[in-house]
Amino acid sequence: MFELDFAYSALLIVCLIAACSFEFVNGFHDTANAVATVIYTNSLKPWVAVIWSGFCNFIGVFWGGIAVAVGIINLLPVETLVDQNIAHSISMVMALLLTAIFWNLLTWYLGIPCSSSHTLIGSILGVGLAYSLLPEAAGDAVNWGKAQEIGVSLLISPLFGFSMTIILMYLIRTLTKKTSYGDSLFKEPKKNQAPPLWIRSILVLTCTLVSFFHGSNDGQKGVGLIMLILIGVVPTYFALNESFTPTNLPAALTKIEHVISSIDSSHLSKSDRNKLAEATLINTRLQQRFANLHDVQDIPKAERFLVRKDIMIMDRELGSLAKKEDVKLSEAEKKSLKDELKNVRKITDYSPTWVLLMISLSLGLGTMIGWKRIVKTVGEKIGKEHLTYAQGASAEIVAASTIGMSSYLGLPVSTTHVLSSGIAGSMVANRGVKNLQPDTVRNILIAWFLTLPVVMIMAGTLFLLFRAIF
């Protein structure tokens, strides 16, 4: 028994190291986009830019909240996939980790700005779909509602980056046309000569913001990945937040019960009536559980995952019902339901500080290594001309605002695609579509279209293979 426990502990450590490796690769793969503009406009020396960007990524992971991490966790309903066989959980984790790391390294080696977000999300979806093919599969193995939100975010963000950069370039050109410095903004920087202080300050600031928001968005994906591993492999310790005080949960559950009781089930379909009945039963069970509970640690370890499962299922069922036209709820009731479910989810939506620290270090250190390939592609190969000050500033302002807003909304976006599309937009704004290098744009688009299907097939195949072996 000791040898078995030791083997699983060793595998857990391997999984955590692999997750940190993914975030490490993410650092020199994605963060290179943030430093390309300041390097190619001579605003900062390469190593100064890389070290500064790494530090900002580190801070971004800590201060960026965990909304994106929760989105990643919720994409794959762990409560559906996890069973009593730890080997099955490890099969799930290893399949998505190996796939994500392999594809990131391959595209980095080829110098293609490929999205780590697409890679990770595609791997998760591949595992979920593969699980649904197994005989023991029960319920959806993918949270399709969350998948749809993330898919729309990943699709719209590069289009937004491209178009907004064109608009911003036009505004800068128009507003500076009659000024003494207007022409210099749109000329190629002189070799080894730093730009004027005010331009340099803007470029360094935008690099800082992109790096910070990259940490708050892409870094949180790593946090979500670690939590998927911990909840899937050792749910008795990480299914619930042990530092959370559950004394306010009974009141929240009572308010949820009040909203549930106001729903007229006679107008609902059979499946929706079943959802309502299940949510009602779970709510009653949770009220009994937390009625006199003052500490999460008082819940037996063997039952903690079941509590998490109840909370997640209730949240999903009620969230789905609240969107149905047949469910006659006032706006006040919908808001109350959403707020109280969020309060209940505080016991499940969390991340230990040591996880944040581990991912912060991995992302920050990764930023400082291997950045040259992607920087060269972004700085030299997207357009046919050298980056100008206006192009660099426009692309990074749009990228920082897009990524920051997405992090606030809890939606993962691709830093790579947002900034690369911004650079492309700045090239088009300068001299039209002919100013783009077709080979590079084609490679980026091919990687964009291939990433999801390739990693989904690879992750799903590995998962089924590991399940057959273990």
Side-chain angles (χ1 to χ4, degrees), residues 24-52:
F24 182 83
V25 174
N26 185 11
F28 64 71
H29 196 291
D30 277 19
T31 313
N33 296 285
V35 299
T37 53
V38 289
I39 291 174
Y40 273 85
T41 55
N42 302 319
S43 298
L44 289 176
K45 295 293 184 183
W47 279 107
V48 175
V50 169
I51 292 172
W52 176 245

mmCIF file of all heavy atoms in Angstrom, residues 24-52:
data_model
loop_
_atom_site.group_PDB
_atom_site.id
_atom_site.type_symbol
_atom_site.label_atom_id
_atom_site.label_comp_id
_atom_site.label_asym_id
_atom_site.label_seq_id
_atom_site.Cartn_x
_atom_site.Cartn_y
_atom_site.Cartn_z
ATOM 1 N N PHE A 24 5.988 27.776 -17.978
ATOM 2 C CA PHE A 24 7.334 28.238 -18.314
ATOM 3 C C PHE A 24 7.452 28.458 -19.826
ATOM 4 O O PHE A 24 7.928 29.492 -20.285
ATOM 5 C CB PHE A 24 8.349 27.195 -17.845
ATOM 6 C CG PHE A 24 9.786 27.573 -18.097
ATOM 7 C CD1 PHE A 24 10.464 28.405 -17.226
ATOM 8 C CD2 PHE A 24 10.460 27.075 -19.201
ATOM 9 C CE1 PHE A 24 11.787 28.746 -17.449
ATOM 10 C CE2 PHE A 24 11.783 27.409 -19.445
ATOM 11 C CZ PHE A 24 12.455 28.244 -18.567
ATOM 12 N N VAL A 25 6.982 27.475 -20.600
ATOM 13 C CA VAL A 25 6.984 27.592 -22.060
ATOM 14 C C VAL A 25 6.077 28.743 -22.494
ATOM 15 O O VAL A 25 6.398 29.493 -23.417
ATOM 16 C CB VAL A 25 6.518 26.268 -22.716
ATOM 17 C CG1 VAL A 25 6.373 26.431 -24.227
ATOM 18 C CG2 VAL A 25 7.501 25.153 -22.401
ATOM 19 N N ASN A 26 4.952 28.877 -21.808
ATOM 20 C CA ASN A 26 4.028 29.981 -22.096
ATOM 21 C C ASN A 26 4.738 31.320 -21.931
ATOM 22 O O ASN A 26 4.512 32.266 -22.689
ATOM 23 C CB ASN A 26 2.826 29.890 -21.145
ATOM 24 C CG ASN A 26 1.750 30.913 -21.453
ATOM 25 O OD1 ASN A 26 1.770 31.572 -22.475
ATOM 26 N ND2 ASN A 26 0.812 31.055 -20.548
ATOM 27 N N GLY A 27 5.633 31.406 -20.940
ATOM 28 C CA GLY A 27 6.365 32.645 -20.688
ATOM 29 C C GLY A 27 7.202 33.081 -21.874
ATOM 30 O O GLY A 27 7.111 34.217 -22.332
ATOM 31 N N PHE A 28 8.038 32.160 -22.395
ATOM 32 C CA PHE A 28 8.875 32.611 -23.508
ATOM 33 C C PHE A 28 8.165 32.503 -24.851
ATOM 34 O O PHE A 28 8.654 32.980 -25.860
ATOM 35 C CB PHE A 28 10.238 31.895 -23.540
ATOM 36 C CG PHE A 28 10.203 30.404 -23.778
ATOM 37 C CD1 PHE A 28 9.862 29.871 -25.011
ATOM 38 C CD2 PHE A 28 10.579 29.535 -22.765
ATOM 39 C CE1 PHE A 28 9.880 28.509 -25.236
ATOM 40 C CE2 PHE A 28 10.589 28.169 -22.990
ATOM 41 C CZ PHE A 28 10.245 27.647 -24.222
ATOM 42 N N HIS A 29 6.990 31.897 -24.855
ATOM 43 C CA HIS A 29 6.222 31.797 -26.099
ATOM 44 C C HIS A 29 5.325 33.015 -26.270
ATOM 45 O O HIS A 29 5.342 33.671 -27.309
ATOM 46 C CB HIS A 29 5.363 30.524 -26.051
ATOM 47 C CG HIS A 29 4.820 30.110 -27.383
ATOM 48 N ND1 HIS A 29 3.863 30.829 -28.043
ATOM 49 C CD2 HIS A 29 5.099 29.048 -28.177
ATOM 50 C CE1 HIS A 29 3.567 30.224 -29.187
ATOM 51 N NE2 HIS A 29 4.310 29.145 -29.291
ATOM 52 N N ASP A 30 4.554 33.342 -25.253
ATOM 53 C CA ASP A 30 3.573 34.423 -25.353
ATOM 54 C C ASP A 30 4.125 35.787 -24.959
ATOM 55 O O ASP A 30 3.816 36.793 -25.579
ATOM 56 C CB ASP A 30 2.355 34.116 -24.478
ATOM 57 C CG ASP A 30 1.370 33.206 -25.193
ATOM 58 O OD1 ASP A 30 1.788 32.555 -26.163
ATOM 59 O OD2 ASP A 30 0.214 33.149 -24.785
ATOM 60 N N THR A 31 4.953 35.819 -23.909
ATOM 61 C CA THR A 31 5.384 37.111 -23.390
ATOM 62 C C THR A 31 6.349 37.801 -24.338
ATOM 63 O O THR A 31 6.533 39.015 -24.270
ATOM 64 C CB THR A 31 6.036 36.938 -22.001
ATOM 65 O OG1 THR A 31 5.204 36.115 -21.209
ATOM 66 C CG2 THR A 31 6.209 38.262 -21.313
ATOM 67 N N ALA A 32 6.949 37.031 -25.253
ATOM 68 C CA ALA A 32 7.803 37.647 -26.260
ATOM 69 C C ALA A 32 7.040 38.709 -27.042
ATOM 70 O O ALA A 32 7.616 39.695 -27.520
ATOM 71 C CB ALA A 32 8.327 36.568 -27.213
ATOM 72 N N ASN A 33 5.739 38.514 -27.152
ATOM 73 C CA ASN A 33 4.914 39.501 -27.860
ATOM 74 C C ASN A 33 4.937 40.851 -27.153
ATOM 75 O O ASN A 33 4.886 41.901 -27.798
ATOM 76 C CB ASN A 33 3.468 39.003 -27.945
ATOM 77 C CG ASN A 33 3.344 37.736 -28.758
ATOM 78 O OD1 ASN A 33 3.421 37.751 -29.965
ATOM 79 N ND2 ASN A 33 3.176 36.619 -28.079
ATOM 80 N N ALA A 34 4.985 40.833 -25.837
ATOM 81 C CA ALA A 34 4.923 42.075 -25.073
ATOM 82 C C ALA A 34 6.188 42.907 -25.227
ATOM 83 O O ALA A 34 6.143 44.143 -25.193
ATOM 84 C CB ALA A 34 4.674 41.764 -23.598
ATOM 85 N N VAL A 35 7.348 42.247 -25.398
ATOM 86 C CA VAL A 35 8.614 42.976 -25.445
ATOM 87 C C VAL A 35 9.067 43.295 -26.861
ATOM 88 O O VAL A 35 10.014 44.063 -27.057
ATOM 89 C CB VAL A 35 9.732 42.194 -24.711
ATOM 90 C CG1 VAL A 35 9.377 42.007 -23.255
ATOM 91 C CG2 VAL A 35 9.994 40.844 -25.379
ATOM 92 N N ALA A 36 8.396 42.704 -27.866
ATOM 93 C CA ALA A 36 8.840 42.914 -29.250
ATOM 94 C C ALA A 36 8.841 44.389 -29.629
ATOM 95 O O ALA A 36 9.778 44.881 -30.267
ATOM 96 C CB ALA A 36 7.950 42.121 -30.206
ATOM 97 N N THR A 37 7.802 45.110 -29.246
ATOM 98 C CA THR A 37 7.684 46.512 -29.677
ATOM 99 C C THR A 37 8.740 47.404 -29.028
ATOM 100 O O THR A 37 9.313 48.274 -29.695
ATOM 101 C CB THR A 37 6.286 47.055 -29.351
ATOM 102 O OG1 THR A 37 5.997 46.828 -27.972
ATOM 103 C CG2 THR A 37 5.232 46.360 -30.198
ATOM 104 N N VAL A 38 9.008 47.208 -27.734
ATOM 105 C CA VAL A 38 10.011 48.077 -27.083
ATOM 106 C C VAL A 38 11.423 47.736 -27.548
ATOM 107 O O VAL A 38 12.303 48.598 -27.561
ATOM 108 C CB VAL A 38 9.925 47.978 -25.535
ATOM 109 C CG1 VAL A 38 8.673 48.641 -25.024
ATOM 110 C CG2 VAL A 38 10.033 46.552 -25.048
ATOM 111 N N ILE A 39 11.639 46.489 -27.934
ATOM 112 C CA ILE A 39 12.961 46.110 -28.438
ATOM 113 C C ILE A 39 13.185 46.674 -29.840
ATOM 114 O O ILE A 39 14.232 47.242 -30.140
ATOM 115 C CB ILE A 39 13.118 44.569 -28.433
ATOM 116 C CG1 ILE A 39 13.183 44.049 -26.985
ATOM 117 C CG2 ILE A 39 14.373 44.153 -29.202
ATOM 118 C CD1 ILE A 39 13.198 42.546 -26.871
ATOM 119 N N TYR A 40 12.187 46.546 -30.710
ATOM 120 C CA TYR A 40 12.346 46.972 -32.098
ATOM 121 C C TYR A 40 12.205 48.475 -32.288
ATOM 122 O O TYR A 40 12.479 48.991 -33.373
ATOM 123 C CB TYR A 40 11.359 46.209 -32.999
ATOM 124 C CG TYR A 40 11.952 44.902 -33.453
ATOM 125 C CD1 TYR A 40 11.854 43.771 -32.658
ATOM 126 C CD2 TYR A 40 12.648 44.801 -34.659
ATOM 127 C CE1 TYR A 40 12.425 42.565 -33.047
ATOM 128 C CE2 TYR A 40 13.222 43.615 -35.055
ATOM 129 C CZ TYR A 40 13.115 42.495 -34.256
ATOM 130 O OH TYR A 40 13.690 41.316 -34.635
ATOM 131 N N THR A 41 11.785 49.169 -31.258
ATOM 132 C CA THR A 41 11.784 50.636 -31.343
ATOM 133 C C THR A 41 12.923 51.235 -30.509
ATOM 134 O O THR A 41 12.960 52.453 -30.294
ATOM 135 C CB THR A 41 10.440 51.202 -30.834
ATOM 136 O OG1 THR A 41 10.195 50.722 -29.501
ATOM 137 C CG2 THR A 41 9.292 50.792 -31.740
ATOM 138 N N ASN A 42 13.820 50.372 -30.016
ATOM 139 C CA ASN A 42 14.982 50.798 -29.221
ATOM 140 C C ASN A 42 14.589 51.504 -27.926
ATOM 141 O O ASN A 42 15.362 52.306 -27.380
ATOM 142 C CB ASN A 42 15.886 51.733 -30.044
ATOM 143 C CG ASN A 42 16.374 51.089 -31.329
ATOM 144 O OD1 ASN A 42 16.733 49.915 -31.347
ATOM 145 N ND2 ASN A 42 16.369 51.852 -32.416
ATOM 146 N N SER A 43 13.389 51.233 -27.448
ATOM 147 C CA SER A 43 12.941 51.864 -26.208
ATOM 148 C C SER A 43 13.615 51.248 -24.987
ATOM 149 O O SER A 43 13.875 51.940 -23.996
ATOM 150 C CB SER A 43 11.417 51.737 -26.072
ATOM 151 O OG SER A 43 10.771 52.406 -27.131
ATOM 152 N N LEU A 44 13.890 49.952 -25.057
ATOM 153 C CA LEU A 44 14.597 49.255 -23.982
ATOM 154 C C LEU A 44 15.572 48.259 -24.591
ATOM 155 O O LEU A 44 15.318 47.708 -25.674
ATOM 156 C CB LEU A 44 13.611 48.497 -23.076
ATOM 157 C CG LEU A 44 12.696 49.294 -22.147
ATOM 158 C CD1 LEU A 44 11.747 48.349 -21.421
ATOM 159 C CD2 LEU A 44 13.493 50.118 -21.148
ATOM 160 N N LYS A 45 16.665 48.024 -23.905
ATOM 161 C CA LYS A 45 17.585 46.966 -24.317
ATOM 162 C C LYS A 45 16.883 45.620 -24.134
ATOM 163 O O LYS A 45 16.066 45.458 -23.212
ATOM 164 C CB LYS A 45 18.854 47.005 -23.471
ATOM 165 C CG LYS A 45 19.684 48.279 -23.656
ATOM 166 C CD LYS A 45 20.268 48.365 -25.060
ATOM 167 C CE LYS A 45 21.165 49.594 -25.207
ATOM 168 N NZ LYS A 45 21.690 49.720 -26.590
ATOM 169 N N PRO A 46 17.189 44.653 -24.992
ATOM 170 C CA PRO A 46 16.476 43.365 -24.926
ATOM 171 C C PRO A 46 16.405 42.744 -23.538
ATOM 172 O O PRO A 46 15.320 42.373 -23.086
ATOM 173 C CB PRO A 46 17.266 42.494 -25.900
ATOM 174 C CG PRO A 46 17.798 43.454 -26.910
ATOM 175 C CD PRO A 46 18.127 44.695 -26.130
ATOM 176 N N TRP A 47 17.531 42.638 -22.840
ATOM 177 C CA TRP A 47 17.493 41.942 -21.552
ATOM 178 C C TRP A 47 16.793 42.763 -20.467
ATOM 179 O O TRP A 47 16.170 42.219 -19.565
ATOM 180 C CB TRP A 47 18.912 41.554 -21.106
ATOM 181 C CG TRP A 47 19.348 40.304 -21.783
ATOM 182 C CD1 TRP A 47 20.264 40.170 -22.782
ATOM 183 C CD2 TRP A 47 18.819 38.998 -21.542
ATOM 184 N NE1 TRP A 47 20.348 38.859 -23.180
ATOM 185 C CE2 TRP A 47 19.479 38.113 -22.441
ATOM 186 C CE3 TRP A 47 17.872 38.472 -20.681
ATOM 187 C CZ2 TRP A 47 19.206 36.748 -22.477
ATOM 188 C CZ3 TRP A 47 17.592 37.116 -20.721
ATOM 189 C CH2 TRP A 47 18.257 36.271 -21.606
ATOM 190 N N VAL A 48 16.903 44.075 -20.584
ATOM 191 C CA VAL A 48 16.153 44.927 -19.648
ATOM 192 C C VAL A 48 14.655 44.714 -19.853
ATOM 193 O O VAL A 48 13.887 44.563 -18.893
ATOM 194 C CB VAL A 48 16.520 46.408 -19.847
ATOM 195 C CG1 VAL A 48 15.640 47.291 -18.958
ATOM 196 C CG2 VAL A 48 17.989 46.647 -19.530
ATOM 197 N N ALA A 49 14.239 44.703 -21.130
ATOM 198 C CA ALA A 49 12.817 44.515 -21.454
ATOM 199 C C ALA A 49 12.317 43.157 -20.982
ATOM 200 O O ALA A 49 11.216 43.050 -20.422
ATOM 201 C CB ALA A 49 12.614 44.656 -22.970
ATOM 202 N N VAL A 50 13.113 42.130 -21.207
ATOM 203 C CA VAL A 50 12.699 40.768 -20.863
ATOM 204 C C VAL A 50 12.588 40.594 -19.351
ATOM 205 O O VAL A 50 11.628 40.005 -18.836
ATOM 206 C CB VAL A 50 13.693 39.751 -21.465
ATOM 207 C CG1 VAL A 50 13.444 38.359 -20.899
ATOM 208 C CG2 VAL A 50 13.571 39.717 -22.979
ATOM 209 N N ILE A 51 13.566 41.101 -18.617
ATOM 210 C CA ILE A 51 13.536 40.980 -17.148
ATOM 211 C C ILE A 51 12.373 41.792 -16.575
ATOM 212 O O ILE A 51 11.656 41.329 -15.679
ATOM 213 C CB ILE A 51 14.880 41.443 -16.541
ATOM 214 C CG1 ILE A 51 15.982 40.447 -16.920
ATOM 215 C CG2 ILE A 51 14.773 41.562 -15.018
ATOM 216 C CD1 ILE A 51 17.379 40.897 -16.539
ATOM 217 N N TRP A 52 12.171 42.997 -17.094
ATOM 218 C CA TRP A 52 11.063 43.832 -16.619
ATOM 219 C C TRP A 52 9.717 43.176 -16.919
ATOM 220 O O TRP A 52 8.819 43.148 -16.076
ATOM 221 C CB TRP A 52 11.133 45.209 -17.251
ATOM 222 C CG TRP A 52 9.986 46.114 -16.902
ATOM 223 C CD1 TRP A 52 9.043 46.617 -17.733
ATOM 224 C CD2 TRP A 52 9.645 46.598 -15.589
ATOM 225 N NE1 TRP A 52 8.131 47.394 -17.052
ATOM 226 C CE2 TRP A 52 8.485 47.400 -15.724
ATOM 227 C CE3 TRP A 52 10.210 46.437 -14.324
ATOM 228 C CZ2 TRP A 52 7.885 48.035 -14.655
ATOM 229 C CZ3 TRP A 52 9.608 47.077 -13.252
ATOM 230 C CH2 TRP A 52 8.466 47.855 -13.415
#
